[in-house]
Amino acid sequence: MTEHRTLRVALLGAGSVGSQVARLLLAHADDLAERSGARLELAGILVRNPDAPRDAELPRELLTTDAEALILGADIVIELMGGIEPARTHVLAALRSGADVVTGNKALLATHGAEIFEAADQVGASVSYEAAVAAAIPIIRPLRDSLAGDRIVRIFGIVNGSTNFILDSMDREGLAAEDAQRIATELGYLEADPTLDLEGYDAAQKAAILASLAFHTQVSIEDVHRQGIESVTAGMIADARRAGYVIKLLAICERLGGAEGDEISVRVYPALIDRDHPLASVHGGNNAVFVEAEAAGPLMFYGAGAGGAQTASAVLGDVVSAARRHIAGGVGIGESARQSLPIAPIGRITTRYQITLEVEDQPGVLATVAGILSEENVSVATALQTVDADEAATARIVIGTHRASEEALSGTVARLAGTPVVTRVVSVLRVEGE
Amino acid sequence: MTEHRTLRVALLGAGSVGSQVARLLLAHADDLAERSGARLELAGILVRNPDAPRDAELPRELLTTDAEALILGADIVIELMGGIEPARTHVLAALRSGADVVTGNKALLATHGAEIFEAADQVGASVSYEAAVAAAIPIIRPLRDSLAGDRIVRIFGIVNGSTNFILDSMDREGLAAEDAQRIATELGYLEADPTLDLEGYDAAQKAAILASLAFHTQVSIEDVHRQGIESVTAGMIADARRAGYVIKLLAICERLGGAEGDEISVRVYPALIDRDHPLASVHGGNNAVFVEAEAAGPLMFYGAGAGGAQTASAVLGDVVSAARRHIAGGVGIGESARQSLPIAPIGRITTRYQITLEVEDQPGVLATVAGILSEENVSVATALQTVDADEAATARIVIGTHRASEEALSGTVARLAGTPVVTRVVSVLRVEGE
């Protein structure tokens, strides 16, 4: 066996991903040395309480609560604590000491990315974060490296496994939202506090990270138009199914051409997808991301969206790259925010919509509704009126629009809601993927 | 605009990919400078005949026939000539002069990979070849970098767009093989000499490249068990469709555990895939590759499998990386053949098979056939006997086997073919993707 230089690796956090990373670093030490050109010595694992019970069998003597000593002695720091503080402080300290940082912390990058990449730039260290988006699916590196000579037009996909599991169970097993959520919690797809997933924050953090990278623009979570799946009901999913659609929570990062140059739109919302679209067959907790570039055309990346081992695979890929860079010499590849494209307001986006209304079953209602759409310049592509079997004197109108702006549409929906013959606006959903 | 260092880029070849690469290098010069940190100056384009008519408008003054002068003056050499010689000589000359090489030449890598990677290692230069497999789909880099900390178990997919176009047309439009081939030629999916595609050489070259990288073992085209689609008929495709399958030309690179350690199997053949499998919906000239790693689980990469612009996108991604490395300093990441796993003979592989026989329609035939399978230890999973509507006195037996070794099977098929009641062995196909 070749003699290898030793690099000291500090691991911050020993949760489900951290403990898998530690296990793999220890179990595959020889193999990783051959791959990276360096022996990766796990110097210590930062934990809050060294005596807490743990999943994996981590050597007790590696556990420490002394962040400063651990970080200052490390060549590579792996941050898997999650949350903003103290993760931010530790990452900045690591970079300032010249260590390379590998992190899976999407919340941190989506809020303090600019500060962190600047700190890395100043010392020529690298920040890698493949694990922050879509677990083991390589998506950060393809955007940063493989497509570096191309121009990305659109990224579009399912980046939150928990909500996909819930929507998929509702669609395939006809479950009510509460039941699907309960099962997701039991199976470990949802955290004790499910807000981050259900309200789309997690997907929005990932969208911010992808958009920043794809469009060379610092996009933070506040720039992302966000809507979660809280309002998606079993009835909406059944309606979608009847119409040949499935509802998915989509993250969309898009370059919009304009008279005054490009703008970008970054948004997360539940939308209708045709059942024939490849994203419609992404089941359970899986993720899938389409990347459309000018020369490359559409590419799709698919795999597990979460899981300790899966995410650990992405972390170790980054660690091996950081180690190779240490051995080969040279500085890390900095992030680029050089284009600083403006963020388009959501009102600027145009999509197709499907509007479902509950109306009084009397003559002239469809004409009234169509008249309002026409006055608001929202063009109708399809219209279907049916009588509600359960409730006499009530009918249902489903309108599919041609592309319309959010601006035009929200005005229209407000007018429809205020029209006496319209009993209820059942749902307003965008149709994507066409 | 920042001042950038200039790197001289030599382009060898101005075919459909080369001319796109030249066009993008010239058109996006500023953008590429920002992304790579270096101005990429296209120093010259090696062509056989500077006066030949060309697709794209390439500046006449860049065209040259002086390979030596062009290569020796370059920092990065892009080889898109194809074929073994003179590409091999030029690539070796470039590496020996310390230039980084970017190539899309799968034939060269699958036959002379070891020599080329060794030459690169000796001077610390890099050889990048994302464009050699699956055009713009990032697959080389995920294997080399993203999954570097994981252990790859299996790669499995559609890597030849031409044959996929043909099989897909036969399946979806019911075309005969000759008609599908004619259309593929007319649309530019097949070369004037279609042998490389139809007989599976192209897929086998790509399989050798993927297996080398995934298993850290030098795999050359001679190590790949190869069967093309020449023998696939419209009848076989119709049979497959009736049974719920589709026929795809698959490239499979697999790690096989054994009593004496791991072996690898690398093979290309047409096989049956369940119509529900994601690979079944890869249509037209597209490619899709599954990568299964121990920790990451199954990942899928999907996109266009060919095309000048698509392949040029992959080339430029590699060029930008090579330029960044030049600017950052340090040596290229060498290839690793350190594991040198033995290649398993094809007889060692076990898969499920579907055997279709034409037999005489008389009592006891199924018993005879089943008896032979039983004596040869090939276990039957499903059996279907039908009477041929067109030909009286002829019946058809379709046997689905449990997993059996190629060895056991080929003996069985030979015995079946020699059995008097068996009029014809219609087809023997593996069932994959289960």
Side-chain angles (χ1 to χ4, degrees), chain B residues 177-190:
Chain B
E178 311 81 68
D179 294 329
Q181 279 182 35
R182 202 194 55 245
I183 293 169
T185 308
E186 285 166 10
L187 295 177
Y189 282 107
L190 274 180

Side-chain angles (χ1 to χ4, degrees), chain A residues 31 34-35 136 138 141 144-146 148 150 295-296 298-303 309-310 313 317 320 324 328 330-331 338-339, chain B residues 31 34-35 136 138 141 144-146 148 150 295-296 298-303 309-310 313 317 320 324 328 330-331 338-339:
Chain A
D31 202 31
E34 294 288 344
R35 285 169 202 225
R141 210 182 284 266
R144 200 196 59 189
D145 297 341
S146 310
D150 206 333
L299 304 169
M300 187 177 84
F301 302 84
Y302 167 91
Q310 289 84 348
S313 170
V320 168
R324 286 177 180 162
V331 300
R338 62 187 163 75
Q339 294 200 335
Chain B
D31 203 30
E34 293 288 343
R35 287 171 200 223
R141 209 182 286 264
R144 200 196 59 189
D145 297 341
S146 308
D150 207 334
L299 303 170
M300 187 177 85
F301 302 83
Y302 167 92
Q310 288 84 347
S313 170
V320 168
R324 285 175 180 164
V331 300
R338 64 189 162 74
Q339 296 201 333

Side-chain angles (χ1 to χ4, degrees), chain B residues 43-195:
Chain B
I45 306 172
L46 182 69
V47 294
R48 251 175 304 202
N49 174 7
D51 300 314
R54 304 191 181 276
D55 284 354
E57 292 147 31
L58 300 179
R60 179 67 179 77
E61 68 276 15
L62 289 180
L63 306 183
T64 174
T65 56
D66 186 348
E68 202 182 329
L70 180 60
I71 290 169
L72 290 182
D75 300 299
I76 297 172
V77 174
I78 307 173
E79 185 275 303
L80 297 169
M81 313 173 74
I84 306 297
E85 284 296 354
R88 174 178 154 274
T89 303
H90 293 334
V91 164
L92 290 172
L95 291 171
R96 284 180 193 132
S97 80
D100 287 312
V101 168
V102 175
T103 176
N105 192 330
K106 47 195 168 283
L108 181 61
L109 292 172
T111 47
H112 296 274
E115 181 184 23
I116 288 165
F117 294 121
E118 200 189 309
D121 255 9
Q122 281 173 2
V123 294
S126 69
V127 180
S128 319
Y129 49 97
E130 188 62 80
V133 181
I137 307 174
I139 177 74
I140 299 302
R141 209 182 286 264
L143 287 176
R144 200 196 59 189
D145 297 341
S146 308
L147 292 164
D150 207 334
R151 190 179 146 90
I152 290 161
V153 179
R154 197 159 185 247
I155 298 174
F156 160 71
I158 297 166
V159 296
N160 181 273
S162 317
T163 49
N164 196 61
F165 179 89
I166 292 169
L167 294 174
D168 191 44
S169 309
M170 291 171 74
D171 178 59
R172 296 212 289 175
E173 293 160 38
L175 297 183
E178 311 81 68
D179 294 329
Q181 279 182 35
R182 202 194 55 245
I183 293 169
T185 308
E186 285 166 10
L187 295 177
Y189 282 107
L190 274 180
E191 305 289 326
D193 172 11
T195 321

Side-chain angles (χ1 to χ4, degrees), chain B residues 61-414:
Chain B
E61 68 276 15
L62 289 180
L63 306 183
T64 174
T65 56
D66 186 348
E68 202 182 329
L70 180 60
I71 290 169
L72 290 182
D75 300 299
I76 297 172
V77 174
I78 307 173
E79 185 275 303
L80 297 169
M81 313 173 74
I84 306 297
E85 284 296 354
R88 174 178 154 274
T89 303
H90 293 334
V91 164
L92 290 172
L95 291 171
R96 284 180 193 132
S97 80
D100 287 312
V101 168
V102 175
T103 176
N105 192 330
K106 47 195 168 283
L108 181 61
L109 292 172
T111 47
H112 296 274
E115 181 184 23
I116 288 165
F117 294 121
E118 200 189 309
D121 255 9
Q122 281 173 2
V123 294
S126 69
V127 180
S128 319
Y129 49 97
E130 188 62 80
V133 181
I137 307 174
I139 177 74
I140 299 302
R141 209 182 286 264
L143 287 176
R144 200 196 59 189
D145 297 341
S146 308
L147 292 164
D150 207 334
R151 190 179 146 90
I152 290 161
V153 179
R154 197 159 185 247
I155 298 174
F156 160 71
I158 297 166
V159 296
N160 181 273
S162 317
T163 49
N164 196 61
F165 179 89
I166 292 169
L167 294 174
D168 191 44
S169 309
M170 291 171 74
D171 178 59
R172 296 212 289 175
E173 293 160 38
L175 297 183
E178 311 81 68
D179 294 329
Q181 279 182 35
R182 202 194 55 245
I183 293 169
T185 308
E186 285 166 10
L187 295 177
Y189 282 107
L190 274 180
E191 305 289 326
D193 172 11
T195 321
L196 272 179
D197 290 319
L198 297 180
E199 298 186 1
Y201 285 102
D202 175 87
Q205 286 167 350
K206 292 166 179 165
I209 293 171
L210 293 175
S212 299
L213 195 56
F215 303 129
H216 304 278
T217 294
Q218 182 57 47
V219 178
S220 87
I221 177 95
E222 288 81 32
D223 300 317
V224 183
H225 174 84
R226 177 189 50 76
Q227 189 189 330
I229 65 161
E230 319 91 289
S231 59
V232 177
T233 62
M236 283 162 70
I237 287 189
D239 284 348
R241 174 176 272 277
R242 269 190 294 274
Y245 293 115
V246 57
I247 298 181
K248 294 288 188 188
L249 182 68
L250 297 181
I252 303 175
C253 313
E254 206 168 15
R255 184 191 290 272
L256 306 173
E260 284 151 47
D262 286 357
E263 292 182 318
I264 58 178
S265 161
V266 191
R267 50 200 207 267
V268 167
Y269 44 62
L272 297 168
I273 290 271
D274 195 285
R275 294 196 92 84
D276 284 340
H277 193 282
L279 289 184
S281 53
V282 175
H283 299 301
N286 286 307
N287 282 189
V289 181
F290 270 88
V291 176
E292 294 173 23
E294 263 177 19
L299 303 170
M300 187 177 85
F301 302 83
Y302 167 92
Q310 288 84 347
T311 311
S313 170
V315 169
L316 282 175
D318 280 348
V319 169
V320 168
S321 288
R324 285 175 180 164
R325 193 186 74 74
H326 252 93
I327 298 302
V331 300
I333 298 165
E335 289 300 298
S336 151
R338 64 189 162 74
Q339 296 201 333
S340 296
L341 298 176
I343 309 286
I346 187 75
R348 193 75 51 84
I349 306 307
T350 68
T351 49
R352 299 213 303 112
Y353 286 88
Q354 184 150 312
I355 308 170
T356 306
L357 305 173
E358 215 171 76
V359 296
E360 289 179 18
D361 186 15
Q362 61 186 50
V365 172
L366 184 57
T368 306
V369 167
I372 293 173
L373 288 158
S374 163
E375 283 165 33
E376 297 283 339
N377 272 319
V378 173
S379 173
V380 173
T382 60
L384 174 70
Q385 177 161 359
T386 51
V387 174
D388 198 316
D390 299 335
E391 296 183 57
T394 302
R396 190 171 262 244
I397 294 180
V398 180
I399 303 278
T401 76
H402 283 296
R403 291 187 85 88
S405 74
E406 171 89 18
E407 234 160 2
L409 191 91
S410 52
T412 312
V413 170

Side-chain angles (χ1 to χ4, degrees), chain A residues 134 139 155-159 210 279 287-291 299-301:
Chain A
I139 177 73
I155 299 175
F156 161 70
I158 297 166
V159 296
L210 294 175
L279 289 185
N287 283 187
V289 181
F290 270 87
V291 176
L299 304 169
M300 187 177 84
F301 302 84

Side-chain angles (χ1 to χ4, degrees), chain A residues 125-190:
Chain A
S126 69
V127 180
S128 318
Y129 49 98
E130 188 61 80
V133 181
I137 308 173
I139 177 73
I140 299 300
R141 210 182 284 266
L143 288 176
R144 200 196 59 189
D145 297 341
S146 310
L147 292 164
D150 206 333
R151 189 179 146 91
I152 291 161
V153 179
R154 197 160 186 249
I155 299 175
F156 161 70
I158 297 166
V159 296
N160 179 273
S162 318
T163 49
N164 197 61
F165 179 88
I166 292 169
L167 294 173
D168 191 42
S169 309
M170 290 171 75
D171 179 59
R172 297 211 290 175
E173 292 158 42
L175 297 184
E178 310 81 68
D179 295 329
Q181 280 183 34
R182 202 194 53 245
I183 293 169
T185 308
E186 285 166 11
L187 294 177
Y189 282 107
L190 274 180

